Amino acid sequence: MFSLDLLLDAVVIGVLLGCFYAAVSIGLSVSFGLLDVPHVAHPAFLVMASYAVFFLNDRYDIDPLLAGLLITPLLFVFGLVAYRLYYETFERRGSDAAVRGIAFFFGVAFIIEVLIILQFGVDQRSVTASYIGQSFRIGDMRIPFRLLVAFAVATALTILLALYLSRTFMGRAIRAVAQDEEAVRLMGANPVRIKQWAFGIATAVLGIAGALLIIVAPVDPTLDRAYIGRTFCVVVMAGLGSMAGTLLAAIILGVAETIVLTLFGASWAPAISFAMLLGVLAVRPQGLFGR
C-alpha cells in the first residue's frame, strides 16, 4: 500500500535524481536552447564521456570525478570540431539546416555507439570509488552517496555555467547571438566563432556529466537512447536556454519519475519524460520558465 513514508522517500530521491538529470541536460540547454542546433547526438556524447571516464578509472585507478575533469579539455576541442563540421556542411547552406542537421547528428550518434561497441563490447561498465555503494541513513530512509555526489556536483555546475553566461564577456556574447545573430554581426563580432565556442562549452561539461552518469549507474553503448527523451524534456520544459529553469525542470522530472516508479513500477517510469514533453509543448510551448 502506498503511504506517506513512501511518498517522502520518492520525493527526496526524485529531487536528487532530478539534479543529476540537470547535469546531463545542461549542455543541451546551451547547444539546443541557445544556439538552435538540433543536437540529438547529445546523449551519445554523454555516453562516450562515461566510457572515457571508465577507461581512466579502470586502467589508471583515477577517481571518476577527477577523470571527468581530465577529459573536459578534450571534449571542448571535440565540440569545436563537431560544430565547425555541422556549420560548414549544413548551417551555412540555408534555412533547412535544422532538418538536415537532425539526420547529421543521428548519424554521429550511431557512429559513436558502434565505435563504443567495437572498443568496449556490449556489456555494462561501471567504475569504482569510495562513495559508490555507500549510503547515508536518515531514520528509515537510506540515501545513496552517489546521488548526493550527483546533487552537489550538478548544483555547482549549473551555478557556474549560469554565472559564466551572465557575468563574462563571452557568456553575454553567447546570449546575444541567441537573441539576435544579425545584430551581433553588425557590431563587428563573428557569430559563427561565438557559437562554435558555446558548442565547445556545451560539449565540455559532458566530462563531468558523463562521470556522474557512470557513478549513478552502470552504462552500456545504447544508454543514449534512454536519455534522448529525458534531456529534451528537461530543456524544453525549462524554457530554451534557461540555466536555473533547467535545474528546476529536471527536479520536476526526477520527482515525477520516482513517484510513477513507486506507484506503477519501473516499466512506466521512462515514459513519463515523453508524456511531460508532449504536455508542455501542448500547453506552454515556451516552457515553464521561458519568456
Side-chain angles (χ1 to χ4, degrees), residues 195-217:
K195 293 173 74 172
Q196 185 179 19
W197 182 268
F199 196 88
I201 292 174
T203 308
V205 298
L206 291 177
I208 299 299
L212 293 179
L213 179 65
I214 200 169
I215 286 172
V216 168

Side-chain angles (χ1 to χ4, degrees), residues 12 60 88 125 186 199-200 203 206 230 261 264 273 280:
V12 172
Y60 303 106
E88 296 293 344
R125 303 290 181 173
L186 292 174
F199 196 88
T203 308
L206 291 177
R230 290 186 175 110
L261 186 149
F264 303 107
S273 59
V280 170

Side-chain angles (χ1 to χ4, degrees), residues 116-212:
I116 291 174
I117 291 174
L118 291 176
Q119 181 64 36
F120 297 99
V122 297
D123 296 331
Q124 289 186 330
R125 303 290 181 173
S126 58
V127 292
T128 57
S130 59
Y131 44 83
I132 298 177
Q134 304 295 320
S135 61
F136 180 71
R137 192 180 186 92
I138 303 177
D140 294 330
M141 185 187 303
R142 298 175 67 90
I143 302 175
F145 275 141
R146 64 181 186 274
L147 288 182
L148 292 174
V149 170
F151 169 79
V153 173
T155 304
L157 189 62
T158 303
I159 293 173
L160 288 174
L161 191 55
L163 289 175
Y164 176 82
L165 291 174
S166 61
R167 301 292 179 87
T168 66
F169 175 80
M170 184 57 75
R172 290 193 292 269
I174 292 171
R175 287 192 174 276
V177 166
Q179 292 174 7
D180 194 332
E181 183 175 333
E182 189 60 33
V184 171
R185 184 177 285 107
L186 292 174
M187 294 295 291
N190 187 333
V192 176
R193 290 185 180 179
I194 295 173
K195 293 173 74 172
Q196 185 179 19
W197 182 268
F199 196 88
I201 292 174
T203 308
V205 298
L206 291 177
I208 299 299
L212 293 179

Side-chain angles (χ1 to χ4, degrees), residues 1 37 50 56 60 66 71 97 142 156 162 213 215 227 235 241 247:
M1 180 179 292
V37 176
S50 293
L56 293 176
Y60 303 106
L66 178 58
I71 66 173
R142 298 175 67 90
L213 179 65
I215 286 172
Y227 279 87
V235 172
L247 180 60

Side-chain angles (χ1 to χ4, degrees), residues 25-56:
S25 303
I26 197 165
L28 186 63
S29 184
V30 174
S31 60
F32 179 61
L34 291 177
L35 306 182
D36 281 337
V37 176
H39 191 15
V40 292
H42 173 86
F45 285 17
L46 174 68
V47 174
M48 179 182 67
S50 293
Y51 271 91
V53 170
F54 162 75
F55 175 80
L56 293 176

